[in-house]
Structures are given as structure tokens and as C-alpha cells.
Amino acid sequence: MTTTPLRGGPAVDLRRAFRLDASSVWVVTSAHEGSPVGFTAVSVASVSISPPLLSFNVSRTSSSLATLLRSGHYAVHLLSHDQEDVARRFAADASRRFADPTTWSWAHDGLPQVHGVVTRVSGAVLRLVDAGDSLLVLGEVHDVLDHGHGTAVPSPLVHHDRTYTRTAAPAAHLAGAVA
């Protein structure tokens, strides 16, 4: 198999290369003084189980950044396969993200909770790492809520090559398995 180098410089090449990666789609939310913010992310990653830590990136130009920093708390929501509209809404104009009160509510931790997600993880910002045009947020995990129904494991929404797609539902006998 031969490969052809991408053309356009390292930044363009890197963007193209990561478009080839299939990534789960998350919505990150935060709030300060009753004002909710949020954005769509594909950069959420598990960092450590002991202690429980995760990370995500936030653009330095994000309209959510100032509130996230003032709050010091976050919630990340793994979107279900049927939530492409939610992913698009949280990637678009900030004024529309929380406009539909049927798609979210305030959770017990004082942060916005997106309805219908596969899972929700919340916690506190532990550290910010300068990462070029973004900040890498390292977060302590305080709470994990599984929104699955019974033994059925909902399929997550996936982003690949600038499109949203669905994953196949796991086999019933694998629903309780842990990788």
C-alpha cells in the first residue's frame, strides 16, 4: 500500500488527518450565576481512573470559555445516536443552544443537563494547559450518571469526516460487559 503525503502544511494536514478519526460527540456545559453555556466537543478523553480524571479542549475564542473559567465546574454529555440536532445546535450560535427548554434542565449539581444522552459526567476544573489555539481542560470527576434504559445500551453519536453517523447497537449479550 502506498501513501500520499497531504498538501497544505502541517496545520492543514493535521486537520485533514483528524477528520479520518471517528470520534464520539459530546456536549460540554457549565454555568455561572444562573447563565448556562455549552459547546459541542469531540475531544473528551479519559485521563485516569484513580483518581478519576478526564480532559477536553476548549477554543480560546469559545463563547463558553469565560463562564467555564468563572464557574470552575463542567458537565460533559455523550450524545445518543439520535441527537445530531443537539450536536449541531451546540456547535452553532450561542444564543440558540439553550433556547428549547424541553431538551435540557438544571441538574442537582447546578449545571445544565442535556436530556436523552448516553451518559453525563460532571466535576471540577483541576488544571488548564496552554495548547496553542485551545486550552486543554483537565477535570476531576465528581459524578457519573448513566442514562441508559434498563439493560439496553444506547448507541452514541459519532463524528467522522465532517459528518455525523450512528454506531451499530451493541449485541444484547454484551450490554453489561465492560471493556
Side-chain angles (χ1 to χ4, degrees):
M1 180 168 124
T2 61
T3 59
T4 305
L6 298 173
R7 301 284 184 232
V12 172
D13 293 349
L14 184 61
R15 181 172 290 172
R16 287 181 189 155
F18 274 96
R19 283 184 189 146
L20 301 176
D21 179 39
S23 301
S24 53
V25 182
W26 299 75
V27 165
V28 179
T29 62
S30 188
H32 183 70
E33 297 180 352
S35 296
V37 297
F39 57 94
T40 300
V42 294
S43 62
V44 177
S46 172
V47 174
S48 172
I49 299 301
S50 182
L53 303 172
L54 61 72
S55 69
F56 60 88
N57 290 4
V58 58
S59 171
R60 291 180 182 279
T61 61
S62 172
S63 60
S64 300
L65 180 58
T67 298
L68 175 65
L69 296 178
R70 279 193 300 271
S71 164
H73 291 85
Y74 68 87
V76 293
H77 306 79
L78 178 58
L79 297 186
S80 180
H81 64 88
D82 59 354
Q83 291 186 297
E84 181 177 340
D85 59 326
V86 175
R88 291 187 185 285
R89 186 171 61 249
F90 276 85
D93 180 27
S95 67
R96 294 184 32 227
R97 295 176 187 167
F98 293 94
D100 183 353
T102 66
T103 62
W104 74 281
S105 60
W106 292 104
H108 68 281
D109 55 15
L111 297 172
Q113 176 170 298
V114 178
H115 298 171
V117 299
V118 175
T119 193
R120 178 183 188 268
V121 180
S122 61
V125 174
L126 179 64
R127 186 171 303 130
L128 299 171
V129 178
D130 183 16
D133 59 2
S134 298
L135 292 173
L136 176 71
V137 177
L138 181 62
E140 294 178 311
V141 173
H142 295 166
D143 199 19
V144 179
L145 298 175
D146 178 5
H147 293 284
H149 304 287
T151 60
V153 177
S155 298
L157 184 64
V158 174
H159 190 258
H160 176 254
D161 199 18
R162 295 189 271 180
T163 61
Y164 292 106
T165 188
R166 298 173 182 216
T167 58
H173 69 280
L174 296 177
V178 176

